[in-house]
Each structure stands twice: as C-alpha cells, then as structure tokens.
Amino acid sequence: PCEQPAYKTLGSPFGSKDGCDDILIKKVDKIASVMESITNFENDQIRYYLFSLTGIYARYNYWLRTVPSSHMSKALKLLDNLWLKVAA
C-alpha cells in the first residue's frame, strides 16, 4: 500500500493505513444503528437471522478478504464490539 490518501474500488478501500481505516470507520458507523437494533431481540437465532439478512455479514466478510488487517485495525475493533453485542 502506498502513502497516498485512500480511495474505494468495488467497495473496498485502498491506499494509506489511516485512509483505509477512516473509510471503513465511516462504513461501520452507518451499519452500527442496524446492528444495535438487532440486539433488541431476545432470541439468538432471530438476531443471527436478521444479521445475515441485512448484508452486514457479507460486507464484513468482504472487507476481511480485501483489506489488510493492518489497514483496518480501528474499524475491526468497532466491528468486533458490535458483533459481540449481536452474538451475546
């Protein structure tokens, strides 16, 4: 990765470490309200079903496959915290 500002290609950020992290943090902030509302359901199966239907899991998986983990450390911490709330 280069030290230029990050940009998105096919929904995946490329570029500097901080730039990639900033793009993904903005994306995580957008999906946080959906994930927070999913946690309101008491049934674990319903929470997981809603989580899988919203496409959040697919995006999460795509980012894990296309962005180096060193370039999304802050965003991963936010996503992990949100995921733990849904899975709890």
Side-chain angles (χ1 to χ4, degrees):
C2 59
E3 291 305 320
Q4 298 174 357
Y7 59 93
K8 290 189 299 186
T9 301
L10 299 173
S12 184
F14 292 94
S16 69
K17 178 181 178 180
D18 292 333
C20 289
D21 227 357
D22 289 343
I23 288 173
L24 288 175
I25 287 172
K26 289 177 187 174
K27 289 182 177 226
V28 171
D29 287 341
K30 287 181 183 178
I31 62 173
S33 63
V34 174
M35 290 183 74
E36 290 289 338
S37 64
I38 289 173
T39 62
N40 293 333
F41 292 91
E42 292 182 19
N43 188 311
D44 295 338
Q45 291 176 339
I46 291 174
R47 281 199 308 259
Y48 181 75
Y49 181 69
L50 290 172
F51 179 72
S52 63
L53 279 181
T54 60
I56 295 170
Y57 181 74
R59 280 182 253 172
Y60 181 69
N61 189 15
Y62 180 70
W63 297 333
L64 290 176
R65 290 184 290 119
T66 59
V67 181
S69 60
S70 63
H71 283 55
M72 59 177 183
S73 58
K74 294 174 191 171
L76 281 177
K77 287 178 185 174
L78 291 173
L79 276 169
D80 285 345
N81 289 334
L82 289 171
W83 171 245
L84 287 173
K85 287 180 183 178
V86 171

